[in-house]
Amino acid sequence: MPDGFHGSKEEWEKLEAPLVEIDELLQNFARENNMKLVKNYHNWPCRHLRWIKDIPKLIEIALEDKELMTFRVWICTFHDIEQKRFWKHATLKSNVSFPEIRDNLAEILADSKKMLESWSAKGLKFAGEINK
């Protein structure tokens, strides 16, 4: 993820507009599945659906390339033990136009949730030390 957004309000609105378009659908999915919707993490146009079921799980839809206006769908789960992070992640879509995500959102969310629910702490790999 880039180091946050640095630009005008108008540019921000243009970059975030596709995500705003799906906010209601994401909020409904979050509510139905006991998840939390997080917007624009680290000051970047993105949406995260987060929940904890044994370990934290995350579905991310984010702007990947602001010049090309392409997006990605990324999922991960993690577990922290004694200042060490263990995780598993996958990129489900990369550098795709937003209509590909918008038009298949229900399926993307259902598939992402199903995949994450199948992952457990036993399958996580060491990611590195956690900054204190």
Side-chain angles (χ1 to χ4, degrees):
M1 177 184 308
D3 186 27
F5 173 76
H6 305 283
S8 69
K9 179 181 179 201
E10 291 78 20
E11 185 182 6
W12 172 265
E13 289 172 353
K14 176 187 171 215
L15 296 176
E16 189 193 27
L19 297 167
V20 170
E21 192 179 321
I22 63 170
D23 275 346
E24 186 176 344
L25 296 170
L26 292 173
Q27 188 60 56
N28 290 340
F29 187 83
R31 189 175 21 261
E32 291 166 7
N33 292 281
N34 199 27
M35 300 172 175
K36 179 180 179 185
L37 175 61
V38 178
K39 299 178 182 181
N40 306 324
Y41 187 67
H42 285 296
N43 194 36
W44 189 251
C46 64
R47 299 297 188 263
H48 292 162
L49 292 171
R50 296 182 56 116
W51 72 102
I52 297 176
K53 186 172 183 181
D54 69 330
I55 52 178
K57 312 216 184 245
L58 173 105
I59 301 169
E60 176 189 75
I61 300 171
L63 178 67
E64 189 162 17
D65 186 311
K66 73 179 191 170
E67 305 306 321
L68 298 174
M69 282 300 289
T70 57
F71 290 78
R72 76 166 171 256
V73 177
W74 182 80
I75 62 174
C76 85
T77 189
F78 63 91
H79 185 58
D80 298 334
I81 303 170
E82 297 178 2
Q83 298 300 314
K84 294 180 181 172
R85 174 152 290 177
F86 296 83
W87 74 333
K88 183 172 183 176
H89 59 93
T91 301
L92 304 181
K93 296 198 174 285
S94 182
N95 279 314
V96 298
S97 66
F98 195 76
E100 184 174 331
I101 292 173
R102 181 196 60 223
D103 297 346
N104 299 292
L105 187 60
E107 182 180 355
I108 289 168
L109 294 174
D111 291 349
S112 297
K113 180 178 181 287
K114 183 177 180 179
M115 186 178 294
L116 282 164
E117 297 280 333
S118 74
W119 293 355
S120 69
K122 289 193 302 186
L124 305 183
K125 304 283 187 211
F126 180 62
E129 303 295 326
I130 300 172
N131 295 333
K132 292 184 180 182

